[in-house]
Amino acid sequence: MGSCVRRHDSPTQPNLNEWLIHPAHGRRRAARFTGCRLVAVMDTQSATAQPAGAIARLRALLGGSSEASVTKRLAGTIFIIRVFSAALAYFSQILLARWMGGSDYGVYVYVWTWVLLLGSMMDFGISASAQKIIPEYRTRGEHALLRGFLSGSRWITFAVSSVVSLLLAGVV
């Protein structure tokens, strides 16, 4: 086993996957090590100790006031809300289909599709632009512009949605 050890004097580590890049060169190199066990060695930093039990991990996740902890809690909360919302929508669709019957449910789905289609356009892209504008204003410390954007976007969306809903109610 001692004859299998190969030392490199160069400051860089050898490419252990060289045979994938240059198959012929890799076969010649592997032939020199026939009968040896090759082990890949990597320099790593030790990880911080993680809590052992599930309750301890949950407590570590929910605890703390760092930005990462707050972000994890918010992401988990949003995920739970979305799963609950999807389950509620699924079961309500089943109940509505059973109570209304085929023809009435078809009319309901047609109208609801139009409501969703038009409703998704009523904010004129403000929801997408908020993902860029809000963090930008927060990092610059421009709180007056942030308050103006938040207030203005709410009022514009409310006004346009109200006008369009009144027009569509008049059409119906």
Side-chain angles (χ1 to χ4, degrees), residues 102-158:
S103 178
D104 291 338
Y105 185 71
V107 171
Y108 165 76
V109 168
Y110 179 76
V111 171
W112 187 246
T113 302
W114 276 106
V115 167
L116 291 177
L117 181 65
L118 294 174
S120 66
M121 294 185 288
M122 287 301 107
D123 67 346
F124 297 109
I126 291 175
S127 61
S129 63
Q131 294 175 2
K132 179 183 182 294
I133 292 173
I134 292 173
E136 190 175 308
Y137 286 165
R138 285 186 67 196
T139 55
R140 288 188 200 164
E142 297 173 340
H143 299 292
L145 289 174
L146 178 61
R147 281 191 299 274
F149 174 78
L150 292 174
S151 176
S153 63
R154 287 183 188 128
W155 283 110
I156 288 173
T157 303
F158 176 74

Side-chain angles (χ1 to χ4, degrees), residues 11-47:
T12 60
Q13 294 291 326
N15 185 354
L16 297 175
N17 293 325
E18 188 173 10
W19 66 274
L20 292 171
I21 301 170
H22 307 288
H25 179 69
R27 274 188 246 120
R28 285 193 308 267
R29 188 173 196 194
R32 286 185 282 168
F33 292 105
T34 305
C36 298
R37 293 182 189 167
L38 299 178
V39 177
V41 179
M42 297 174 26
D43 293 333
T44 59
Q45 297 175 356
S46 63

Side-chain angles (χ1 to χ4, degrees), residues 83-97:
V83 167
F84 181 74
S85 172
L88 187 63
Y90 179 72
F91 289 118
S92 68
Q93 293 296 313
I94 291 172
L95 290 175
L96 286 172

Side-chain angles (χ1 to χ4, degrees), residues 57-75:
R57 282 194 302 257
L58 184 62
R59 201 172 283 146
L61 177 68
L62 296 177
S65 60
S66 69
E67 191 170 338
S69 296
V70 172
T71 303
K72 286 179 184 178
R73 282 194 303 271
L74 288 174

